[in-house]
Amino acid sequence: MPESTKTTSSATMAAIVQHRYGAPEQVLTRAQIARPAPGADEVLVRMRATSVNTPDWLAVQGTPRILRLQAGLRRPAAPVRGSDIAGIVAAVGTNVTDLRIGDEVFGSQWGTRSRPGTFAEYALAPADHLIPKPAELSFEEAGASVMSGITALRAVRDVGRAGPGRRILINGASGGVGTFAIQIAKSLGAHVTAVCSTRNIEFVQSLGADEVVDYTRDDYTRGAQRYDVILDNVMNHPPAANAAVLTPSGTFIPNSIGDAGGFLGGLPRIARAQLMGRGSADVRSVTCVPDRPNLRDLAALLASGDIAVIIERTYPLNEAAAAIAHMLGHRARGQIAVTIPSADEIF
Ligand SMILES: NC(=O)c1ccc[n+]([C@@H]2O[C@H](COP(=O)([O-])OP(=O)(O)OC[C@H]3O[C@@H](n4cnc5c(N)ncnc54)[C@H](OP(=O)(O)O)[C@@H]3O)[C@@H](O)[C@H]2O)c1
């Protein structure tokens, strides 16, 4: 694939593309690709910021390999990664009446047919997956909030029914989903136990965690404490070990396919958890649904200051490979943001 040129015509845009699976630095290249035009119900956004989330690094590596059956056997069928959106409306489809050119918006392509992805100068999304960006949020914060924030919101509020008197344990509390989950659970009045390594103890406490389990010293699945909800963003313990530390009516939320190695990655462990859910325990999965009601709820929490977007590091679009490699290290504190500068500055 040729490197991009400095100029952009009205019909093309700068993007980071991927035509084979592998390490981010080896398979992600800069390119000029066709600028998409909005369908009747879609909006074209001049991107200002997006973020790296687990589906991005899974798709870059093509792991676990079983996912290639859907994503493209030899190479990715969709060449541009990214789903979170923050930017300015550049064009609207004929059916879109409530968003206008120039509006500052945020939202997501996740779960929609809008393509290409958001690691690009422009991105499409259905209008019902975008809302006005709260003035209190920067583009960077908005673009780093959607997938992790809405996943955490649905896990903690909808599935876990977090509230006063309920104890929630969050495994993987210092990552993107975990940092949102701690704050949302606290804003709903729940008692939060955060599981992280030694270096992150003060960090998760600063987000509101009532108790912390340092996984380098203690194993929460062997402790005496029982939990109403376990949100497991790591899945490094057998599902039955999690079930053993739930209250009798407690809920286990498996939310990771683990390190994704091999043909199946951590999918067998997820399957075992779901099987367990048919018998001895309440097991519920969570999905990210970035529709307008969820986006509005997330925006309200962020705009009120009840929760904040924790960004460990921000990369410009031309360093997208480094941004994805950062997350692949599995040590990210909060989100990894990606900013999309003006057209002249992109590459
Ligand atoms: N259901 C959905 O729709 C949905 C959407 C988004 C994400 N997810 C899932 O959510 C999971 C978490 O994603 P993420 O974005 O938060 O990022 P992440 O990259 O998985 O989180 C990084 C964090 O994990 C912590 N960590 C690593 N090993 C740990 C362990 N053994 N015990 C506890 N913490 C550990 C690290 O802290 P230390 O350095 O302290 O170890 C680091 O802060 C992913 O598996 C992803 O697939 C699901």
Side-chain angles (χ1 to χ4, degrees), residues 52-55 57-58 110 147-148 151-152 170-179 195-200 203 213 215 220 232-237 254-258 285-289 326-335:
V52 184
N53 292 287
T54 299
W57 63 259
L58 292 178
W110 186 251
M147 176 166 281
S148 290
T151 301
I170 300 163
N171 191 24
S174 51
V177 175
T179 51
V195 182
C196 65
S197 68
T198 315
R199 73 185 184 108
N200 283 320
F203 170 60
V213 176
Y215 70 78
Y220 71 87
D232 191 350
N233 300 314
V234 186
M235 294 290 284
N236 54 333
H237 299 286
N255 188 40
S256 174
I257 57 168
S285 52
V286 65
T287 52
C288 176
V289 181
H326 184 148
M327 205 177 160
L328 257 169
H330 303 298
R331 297 272 86 82
R333 266 188 185 161
Q335 290 293 119

Side-chain angles (χ1 to χ4, degrees), residues 56-273:
D56 303 314
W57 63 259
L58 292 178
V60 167
Q61 294 191 141
T63 55
R65 284 175 179 263
I66 192 173
L67 295 186
R68 297 188 190 189
L69 297 176
Q70 194 187 359
L73 224 43
R74 292 175 170 276
R75 62 185 67 83
V80 183
R81 308 276 66 84
S83 55
D84 282 359
I85 291 175
I88 299 167
V89 173
V92 296
T94 48
N95 292 342
V96 180
T97 54
D98 55 1
L99 290 173
R100 288 161 207 252
I101 292 173
D103 286 354
E104 296 186 349
V105 292
F106 85 120
S108 174
Q109 278 186 349
W110 186 251
T112 78
R113 291 176 181 275
S114 293
R115 299 285 184 277
T118 64
F119 281 32
E121 201 179 343
Y122 291 86
L124 291 175
D128 61 8
H129 279 55
L130 293 169
I131 64 167
K133 178 183 78 63
E136 295 85 351
L137 287 187
S138 65
F139 282 113
E140 194 179 330
E141 289 169 322
S145 71
V146 182
M147 176 166 281
S148 290
I150 288 182
T151 301
L153 186 65
R154 284 173 52 77
V156 168
R157 180 193 64 181
D158 303 344
V159 181
R161 294 175 287 112
R166 281 175 72 75
R167 271 185 183 267
I168 177 166
L169 178 137
I170 300 163
N171 191 24
S174 51
V177 175
T179 51
F180 277 107
I182 294 172
Q183 297 178 84
I184 293 168
K186 285 308 298 173
S187 76
L188 294 169
H191 182 283
V192 173
T193 301
V195 182
C196 65
S197 68
T198 315
R199 73 185 184 108
N200 283 320
I201 292 175
E202 286 180 21
F203 170 60
V204 298
Q205 284 170 333
S206 75
L207 298 175
D210 299 287
E211 287 174 42
V212 182
V213 176
D214 176 350
Y215 70 78
T216 68
R217 293 163 189 266
D218 296 308
D219 177 349
Y220 71 87
T221 66
R222 293 172 186 268
Q225 186 63 55
R226 298 294 176 261
Y227 303 95
D228 300 300
V229 184
I230 295 177
L231 169 59
D232 191 350
N233 300 314
V234 186
M235 294 290 284
N236 54 333
H237 299 286
N242 279 289
V245 288
L246 286 173
T247 58
S249 61
T251 301
F252 177 50
I253 309 173
N255 188 40
S256 174
I257 57 168
D259 64 8
F263 185 71
L264 292 173
L267 292 172
R269 190 162 271 190
I270 296 265
R272 277 201 296 281

